[in-house]
Amino acid sequence: HYSVILRDSAGYAIWTLDAKSHNVPGWLADSSIALAPGNYSAVVCFSNSAGNSEWSDARFTRIVAAPPPAATCKIQIVTGSLLVTWEPPYTTSPVIACKVFLRGAGRVVEEMTVAAPGTSFRFLGVTRGVTYTARVQFVNDGGWGVVGPESDPINLSIPFRADPPKLEAVGGSCIRVTWSAPSHRPGVPACSLAKVKVSKTSVDRSMSAVVVSDDHFPATQTFCEVSGLSDGFDYHASVVFANSVGYGDESPSSNSVSFTRNRSV
């Protein structure tokens, strides 16, 4: 028979084994327990019918934590900046920090190390029109892990210029404005709203354009109506779309609609 005692770095016995050896060298290698990283020592004592041997000299070993595995991250636009977020991977040794790599135009443009338990970092001073991605790398007592895969790309671009909206008279003093969103580019934030401006000028062009309405609508909406309009004016409209980066360029002006004696012409 033999007995084994496993001790931690403070000398406390954390595991014991008392078994029959069967004279098979290395049999103990089949007996294992989960241990946290740290310093450990073990001693062994053998016995037979004649009695017990003395305990062996202690054998020391150190269990080192495996570096953290790769993990993904997300990138999003927040008021003209880029916010990178992540979830630390599971490891036997706690994550100490995360290194964030911001890539733009095919190269690393900035990197930052964030101490745990931080799970995000905001990059300022980013450039419009550039496509960005992010990657993260974690470290624990076992060292730095591998760099994770790139996030989905995001492009800091405003929406394209929309086509001119269309106007039509609805009754004697109301117009309907219809529009469509500009085409979407992959990686560019989707349009979040549309701003529709309706203006009027006198039919004889004796006055400058005056804004009648300037309202915001969800980007998914495609029309609105403006009522209470007066005779003797030409009405026209334009539309501009916005996303999380900012407003795009204003569309060309629509066709014009005018009212005379409460009848559209």
Side-chain angles (χ1 to χ4, degrees):
H1 289 76
Y2 65 86
S3 300
V4 179
I5 300 176
L6 181 67
R7 301 180 186 277
D8 61 17
S9 58
Y12 294 103
I14 59 172
W15 185 73
T16 60
L17 176 67
D18 189 7
K20 189 174 182 180
S21 68
H22 299 290
N23 295 320
V24 180
W27 182 88
L28 183 58
D30 291 334
S31 299
S32 61
I33 59 173
L35 296 173
N39 295 313
Y40 298 90
S41 63
V43 292
V44 61
C45 172
F46 292 92
S47 64
N48 57 21
S49 57
N52 297 330
S53 70
E54 294 183 356
W55 287 97
S56 68
D57 293 335
R59 295 293 182 93
F60 293 89
T61 188
R62 175 172 175 78
I63 295 178
V64 179
T72 59
C73 62
K74 295 180 179 180
I75 187 171
Q76 59 183 309
I77 298 172
V78 178
T79 59
S81 64
L82 290 175
L83 179 68
V84 181
T85 59
W86 61 86
E87 289 292 336
Y90 172 78
T91 63
T92 56
S93 178
V95 167
I96 299 172
C98 174
K99 186 178 292 184
V100 191
F101 302 90
L102 183 68
R103 294 175 59 85
R107 62 184 180 87
V108 175
V109 294
E110 192 171 352
E111 66 178 68
M112 180 61 61
T113 300
V114 180
T119 57
S120 66
F121 186 79
R122 185 174 174 182
F123 289 94
L124 306 176
V126 290
T127 305
R128 280 193 177 187
V130 175
T131 298
Y132 289 93
T133 60
R135 304 175 74 183
V136 290
Q137 182 185 23
F138 297 90
V139 65
N140 62 7
D141 287 337
W144 285 98
V146 297
V147 180
E150 284 191 325
S151 66
D152 291 334
I154 194 164
N155 187 292
L156 278 172
S157 292
I158 56 178
F160 279 139
R161 189 184 194 190
D163 292 330
K166 296 180 180 180
L167 262 63
E168 61 177 323
V170 180
S173 61
C174 178
I175 58 174
R176 175 176 292 164
V177 187
T178 59
W179 62 85
S180 58
S183 59
H184 178 68
R185 289 167 285 175
V188 175
C191 295
S192 55
L193 59 84
K195 185 173 76 167
V196 181
K197 181 175 67 176
V198 176
S199 303
K200 68 177 182 179
T201 57
S202 58
V203 174
D204 59 8
R205 300 294 188 271
S206 62
M207 60 171 284
S208 300
V210 176
V211 176
V212 175
S213 66
D214 191 6
D215 297 317
H216 291 81
F217 302 93
T220 53
Q221 188 165 329
T222 59
F223 75 94
C224 71
E225 292 185 353
V226 181
S227 59
L229 305 180
S230 305
D231 293 346
F233 296 96
D234 283 334
Y235 293 91
H236 53 274
S238 62
V239 61
V240 59
F241 284 82
N243 61 11
S244 55
V245 178
Y247 284 92
D249 294 326
E250 186 175 345
S251 74
S253 182
S254 68
N255 60 300
S256 63
V257 168
S258 61
F259 298 93
T260 302
R261 296 178 185 160
N262 293 326
R263 292 182 300 171
S264 62
V265 297

